[in-house]
Amino acid sequence: MQERLKELQAEALDKIAQAADLKELNDIRVAFLGKKGPITEVLKGMGKLSAEERPKMGALANEVRDAISSQIEARQTELEAAAVELKLAAEKIDVTLPGRPVKAGNHHPLTRIIEEIEDLFIGMGYTVAEGPEVEQDYYNFEALNLPKGHPARDMQDSFYITEEILLRTHTSPVQARTMEKRQGKGPVKIICPGKVYRRDNDDATHSHQFTQIEGLVIDENIRLSDLKGTLDVFAKKMFGADREIRLRPSFFPFTEPSVEMDISCKMCGGHGCSTCKGTGWIEILGAGMVHPNVLEMAGYDSKRYTGFAFGMGPERIAMLKYGIDDIRHFYTNDIRFLKQFSVTE
Ligand code: PHE
């Protein structure tokens, strides 16, 4: 019996030393020290021993059991430490590795131009106003001195939704809406950026949807010279201090007199080249003094109040400023095009 116990101890210690992980170690514990284990089995035979031998054998059995369990404990500590080491090694990060660059997005070039123009006018005391893109015929045309059947409606081919509702063809309806809200009171000083829609076939210079920025100033004693001064500041800030402007007579039903503004061509300095088609000037926007009918329809006393308005296309301005040759680049979102306006790369 003594030998059997010694054998078991040797066998157990050997297995413990070889245990590769905590689970295996626990299996060994259960196998050797458990109730159904071989040591318990051996001790069951104690009844057959003599009275002197019994305590000796009992002591020996305890020794064997203690030796095994202390060995298990020691091995367990070892294995636990090894597991921690392994985990640390697996989770190690090399803080000296170069970082992965984060790709930052950018504002669309059109958004940037619109914000630039907004900032410029905000700096001159304007506030930004907005209006709906799905608009009533009344605000898009009638309130702007374009009654039904007026031939000038043909200047802007429209997408009608019903007889009375259409996609706005310009940002001028925001003028009419703003004036109506102010109930005949001045001063008004706003710019209105937004999307507009026209039934045009898309090509390098036309798009069925594009953007406009409208400006409107109403107060007592507003004159054409105020419009000219404002547009001159705008042109010089936007395109460079050396640019000149000129106003040409034009026609819009909602302004009288109406003008179109040109800036001197940057390419040739005004001498004439292919960019300005030999004229030395490039057309930028439409403008004029608010027509008395428009003022009166919105509730203003046109004897007391006068005003000016202008409307420009940010696409055209961006195209001139950055030398972009096709308006469709703004809408097709080719990443190679957009990247050229990136501020981070
Ligand atoms: N609404 C005009 C257009 O889209 C531009 C404009 C605005 C002209 C304001 C004069 C005054 O063509």
Side-chain angles (χ1 to χ4, degrees), residues 156 170 172 175 198 212 214 252 254-255 286-287 309-311:
Q156 302 180 355
H170 50 180
S172 301
Q175 283 189 37
R198 288 190 198 176
Q212 277 193 340
E214 189 88 4
F252 300 103
F254 31 92
T255 47
F310 56 85

Side-chain angles (χ1 to χ4, degrees), residues 112-113 115-126 228-245 261 263 266 284 312 317 321-322:
R112 295 221 340 240
I113 280 282
E115 285 179 357
E116 201 179 320
I117 298 171
E118 276 177 11
D119 284 349
L120 209 152
F121 281 101
I122 288 168
M124 293 198 271
Y126 289 65
K228 189 171 182 188
T230 304
L231 295 180
D232 194 44
V233 170
F234 162 72
K236 288 188 162 62
K237 286 225 173 123
M238 207 62 204
F239 296 103
D242 55 341
R243 309 303 280 280
E244 297 293 328
I245 66 159
M261 180 188 97
I263 55 163
K266 180 174 73 171
I284 294 285
M312 64 179 106
I317 291 173
K321 198 168 153 124
Y322 299 129

Side-chain angles (χ1 to χ4, degrees), residues 215-320:
L216 174 71
V217 172
I218 292 175
D219 206 346
E220 295 176 19
N221 293 319
I222 297 290
R223 290 180 263 204
L224 188 65
S225 52
D226 296 315
L227 171 63
K228 189 171 182 188
T230 304
L231 295 180
D232 194 44
V233 170
F234 162 72
K236 288 188 162 62
K237 286 225 173 123
M238 207 62 204
F239 296 103
D242 55 341
R243 309 303 280 280
E244 297 293 328
I245 66 159
R246 79 172 180 189
L247 302 183
R248 276 182 295 109
S250 185
F251 173 77
F252 300 103
F254 31 92
T255 47
E256 182 58 37
S258 301
V259 294
E260 249 155 289
M261 180 188 97
D262 298 340
I263 55 163
S264 56
C265 179
K266 180 174 73 171
M267 297 296 169
C268 59
H271 299 298
C273 65
S274 61
T275 303
C276 57
K277 298 191 187 90
T279 63
W281 296 95
I282 294 169
E283 186 191 318
I284 294 285
L285 53 78
M289 300 306 289
V290 181
H291 196 292
N293 286 356
V294 174
L295 285 167
E296 294 287 342
M297 265 187 283
Y300 279 83
D301 176 356
S302 64
K303 300 243 163 28
R304 182 169 165 209
Y305 285 107
T306 49
F308 66 72
F310 56 85
M312 64 179 106
E315 280 89 344
R316 182 163 172 76
I317 291 173
M319 284 167 87
L320 286 170

